[in-house]
Amino acid sequence: MKSTVSNSASVPMSAPVRVRMAPSPTGSPHVGLVRTALFNWAFARHHGGQFVFRIEDTDKERSTDESLASIIDLMRWLGLDWDEGPEVGGPHAPYFQSQRGDIYADALARLQSSGRVYRCYCTTEETEGRALAKKEEYAAAKAAFAAAGGQGTKPEAPVMGYDGFCRDLTDEQIAAFEAEGRASVPRLRMPDGSITWNDLVRGEVTFETKHVPDFALARANGDPLYTLVNPVDDALMEITHVLRGEDLLSSTPRQIALYEALKEVGIAKATPEFGHLPYVMGEGNKKLSKRDPEAHALAYRDQGFVPEGLLNYLALLGWSIAADRDIFSLEEMVEAFDIKDVNANPAKFDLKKCEAINATHVHQLSVEEITDRALPYLKRDGVISDPVSDADAQLLELAMPFVAERVSKLTEVGDLLHFLFVPEADFVLDEADKAKMVDSDEGQAVLQAAYDALRSLEVWSAAQISDALTQALVEEMGLKPRVAFGAVRVAATGRRVSPPLFESLELLGRERSLGRLQGALS
RNA sequence: GCCCCCGUCGUCUAGCGGCCUAGGACGUCGCCCUCUCACGGCGGUAACGCCGGUUCAAAUCCGGUCGGGGGUACCA
């Protein structure tokens, strides 16, 4: 008896869109999680639906509070708000699977009595042993077939995994196993035929169910497994569209089969639509793993990326807003986002491009905004004391216009302005730059001339400084500007890379500027 | 082994039968601007994996092949 299950148009078109993000709080959140969250969020917002945030902490061993806190922290930083979930609650609370044990126990009981689920008494060893035997049998049959010169019927390759041994046990067999004191796990009886769904990003996908073994829904000790818990919660929370990673693609037929059973026992109203997002890849052709430094989402915040930039870049991994455009805001993404436009092929994470996209978002901010956002980093990195003194705040405000367009990340503000805030006693020159620009005879001569020219300046302004230095170094000494100003730059700011020199000297002030020039003279 | 997914410049992508001598962005290279570094401007570089088929016409449709990835758990 063949039956074919298809979930096309299972969710009524009139139903409001409800999507979810369901991370497991294990380890530090991954950029792939952010991309998945972003697409779900954008999808919900585009359709005026709800975005549900649920914590899949069924694995008690690996779940940690620290991980949970960092995921929430991350989502808040990114500005991806959720309508139901941790901290905000909602009609389907609790949103932590660790608190939903009764719900799963009830679901299991109902499934069990429906006949769609049976108890399996096999031990892992027995299952594996049979699979191995089948494999060997196949190898032997194949060899015999080859030896016979391809005569006879070609042996069919066995399907690995659980073989359905306990599918049709008699009451006597069950009683015997029970009497033996064997433990058992509940398994879903996969229907015959095939399972087809119209994947939102890949189109029609079909699996023959003979390749999908009956799967366990809970451990022998009763702990529910992901295979049960995830669809049960999606059903109860009335999720209409499941947008998730490609790694879950092959478990979809099992979930659709489970949905059929859940509908039968009154837990699910409809089967959701599924869409499988491509992987975010790292170096080589491997999925970006936790070992890759680029994988850690919160590290981008620590490094001074702005959420607008990270999100824009991540959106580009699998989606594009237009043929000739790749810079856009979250609002623009929400407006334009269509799951049908999402690419099915995996994308490699390119840090250079991520930084470039981030830079243009930083440059789109006002100088005041960049200042506000950079301040926490300046404090964190010890560039500016915390709390900030009025004098420092004022100096920062004056200096920011010179660095705002030069930074691609917020942390770079500190790199560029450190020289302005560092106490004179702690001010040191970069070794290499000093050796190259300051220590030479020419460098020393330049610094002496610069010192003499600036000492008598009447008005300490960028314009006056520029005139005086150009006159003394370029015109009178006949030096090339890059040589002349380079030496002064290193002496005053400590590095060959700095904000514009004359403005920097003005901000530094006469006393400190002269002091530094003098300090660089040996 | 078996099942499923994927295949356009180095990278992310546009392309959904003629608009493609394949467009944009990042990268890279050269030039300009220039007190350094950036920014900005101009220009160059570089791709439809392969083979068949359908068609007047294919990057676009079909088949095969090769390559990559994932799954094949009492993990998620």
Side-chain angles (χ1 to χ4, degrees):
Chain A
M1 212 33 53
K2 291 268 179 186
S3 70
T4 289
V5 179
S6 171
N7 81 325
S8 57
S10 300
V11 175
M13 293 307 286
S14 58
V17 163
R18 285 178 59 81
V19 295
R20 49 64 167 183
M21 164 174 83
S24 297
T26 56
S28 99
H30 193 273
V31 292
L33 171 70
V34 175
R35 210 272 312 265
T36 302
L38 172 63
F39 282 20
N40 272 284
W41 181 89
F43 184 77
R45 295 291 170 257
H46 177 83
H47 292 285
Q50 274 102 47
F51 180 52
V52 178
F53 184 7
R54 178 177 79 222
I55 306 298
E56 299 210 333
D57 53 353
T58 44
D59 189 333
K60 298 178 193 101
E61 308 293 299
R62 296 195 298 147
S63 299
T64 66
D65 290 344
E66 188 194 0
S67 174
L68 171 64
S70 60
I71 292 172
I72 291 176
D73 192 19
L74 172 66
M75 293 294 285
R76 293 291 186 208
W77 174 64
L78 292 169
L80 300 179
D81 57 324
W82 53 98
D83 304 294
E84 297 173 29
E87 295 183 349
V88 308
H92 300 285
Y95 291 91
F96 292 85
Q97 291 186 330
S98 57
Q99 295 167 22
R100 298 170 65 83
D102 294 347
I103 292 170
Y104 308 131
D106 172 64
L108 214 41
R110 288 208 242 173
L111 251 12
Q112 196 96 247
S113 58
S114 76
R116 302 286 287 244
V117 165
Y118 61 90
R119 306 296 307 188
C120 167
Y121 294 88
C122 301
T123 63
T124 311
E125 293 70 37
E126 287 168 344
T127 306
E128 281 172 0
R130 288 197 302 268
L132 197 66
K134 262 203 312 192
K135 202 171 163 183
E136 282 166 0
E137 196 180 301
Y138 170 68
K142 215 169 98 176
F145 179 72
Q151 295 297 311
T153 40
K154 193 175 175 189
E156 197 176 333
V159 175
M160 292 291 110
Y162 182 68
D163 58 357
F165 187 84
C166 296
R167 259 193 161 207
D168 303 301
L169 294 179
T170 61
D171 290 346
E172 289 72 32
Q173 288 172 304
I174 292 173
F177 280 141
E178 291 287 348
E180 261 181 63
R182 281 194 177 232
S184 67
V185 296
R187 283 187 191 276
L188 184 82
R189 191 189 306 274
M190 286 298 292
D192 291 334
S194 64
I195 290 181
T196 296
W197 76 94
N198 195 6
D199 196 278
L200 266 7
V201 344
R202 283 151 215 274
E204 195 173 284
V205 179
T206 299
F207 280 78
E208 298 295 326
T209 57
K210 67 180 174 189
H211 297 298
V212 186
D214 293 349
F215 60 99
L217 296 168
R219 292 200 168 94
N221 67 9
D223 285 350
L225 292 166
Y226 163 84
T227 49
L228 171 74
V229 145
N230 180 278
V232 165
D233 281 346
D234 283 347
L236 258 15
M237 294 178 182
E238 295 180 45
I239 298 304
T240 58
H241 302 259
V242 174
L243 308 180
R244 50 168 21 170
E246 179 183 348
D247 47 334
L248 275 334
L249 185 75
S250 56
S251 73
T252 305
R254 303 189 306 194
Q255 297 200 346
I256 289 174
L258 215 213
Y259 259 101
E260 292 305 314
L262 290 173
K263 281 191 266 194
E264 216 171 84
V265 300
I267 291 176
K269 290 194 179 123
T271 304
E273 303 275 336
F274 291 91
H276 291 90
L277 308 174
Y279 282 114
V280 175
M281 314 288 278
E283 273 314 301
N285 254 335
K286 293 193 298 278
K287 189 180 157 191
L288 200 56
S289 89
K290 295 162 199 77
R291 300 187 55 124
D292 298 306
E294 294 95 333
H296 301 275
L298 246 10
Y300 292 87
R301 181 181 64 182
D302 297 343
Q303 289 162 28
F305 281 77
V306 295
E308 296 94 322
L310 215 215
L311 255 14
N312 187 160
Y313 175 68
L314 256 16
L316 257 17
L317 264 28
W319 183 74
S320 76
I321 195 165
D324 56 356
R325 180 174 171 215
D326 60 11
I327 299 296
F328 48 85
S329 68
L330 259 191
E331 294 69 41
E332 290 169 319
M333 180 181 181
V334 166
E335 172 71 29
F337 189 77
D338 187 336
I339 188 66
K340 286 203 246 358
D341 295 333
V342 173
N343 247 145
N345 50 309
K348 199 169 289 184
F349 191 94
D350 182 352
L351 188 58
K352 284 252 181 65
K353 181 153 184 176
C354 185
E355 285 175 340
I357 298 283
N358 190 70
T360 94
H361 278 277
V362 170
H363 301 327
Q364 282 179 0
L365 299 172
S366 67
V367 175
E368 293 72 33
E369 181 69 24
I370 298 176
T371 308
D372 288 347
R373 296 209 203 184
L375 203 52
Y377 294 91
L378 294 171
K379 291 176 182 172
R380 180 195 73 182
D381 297 338
V383 174
I384 284 190
S385 58
D386 186 13
V388 182
S389 67
D390 288 349
D392 278 357
Q394 205 170 31
L395 190 55
L396 181 63
E397 194 184 325
L398 292 170
M400 281 305 292
F402 303 114
V403 300
E405 70 174 13
R406 317 183 116 74
V407 300
S408 60
K409 291 179 291 196
L410 264 9
T411 43
E412 291 166 4
V413 171
D415 299 338
L416 251 20
L417 294 185
H418 175 75
F419 79 96
L420 265 188
F421 298 96
V422 64
E424 294 309 296
D426 297 335
F427 178 71
V428 289
L429 306 188
D430 177 271
E431 278 302 319
D433 290 350
K434 175 173 181 284
K436 180 156 186 163
M437 306 300 293
V438 169
D439 291 344
S440 66
D441 290 346
E442 186 179 49
Q444 290 292 304
V446 168
L447 293 179
Q448 187 57 249
Y451 180 81
D452 294 339
L454 294 177
R455 188 173 46 180
S456 53
L457 258 195
E458 284 173 21
V459 180
W460 191 260
S461 70
Q464 295 278 311
I465 292 167
S466 172
D467 288 349
L469 289 180
T470 303
Q471 160 99 29
L473 308 178
V474 179
E475 288 170 18
E476 289 174 15
M477 292 179 77
L479 294 167
K480 285 191 176 149
R482 62 182 305 121
V483 175
F485 302 133
V488 177
R489 183 187 308 281
V490 172
T493 72
R495 300 168 54 197
R496 287 160 74 196
V497 175
S498 81
L501 180 61
F502 313 127
E503 284 78 2
S504 294
L505 291 175
E506 178 184 320
L507 290 170
L508 245 194
R510 181 195 302 265
E511 197 182 326
R512 282 198 290 171
S513 297
L514 292 175
R516 289 186 186 184
L517 290 179
Q518 201 162 37
L521 287 163
S522 48

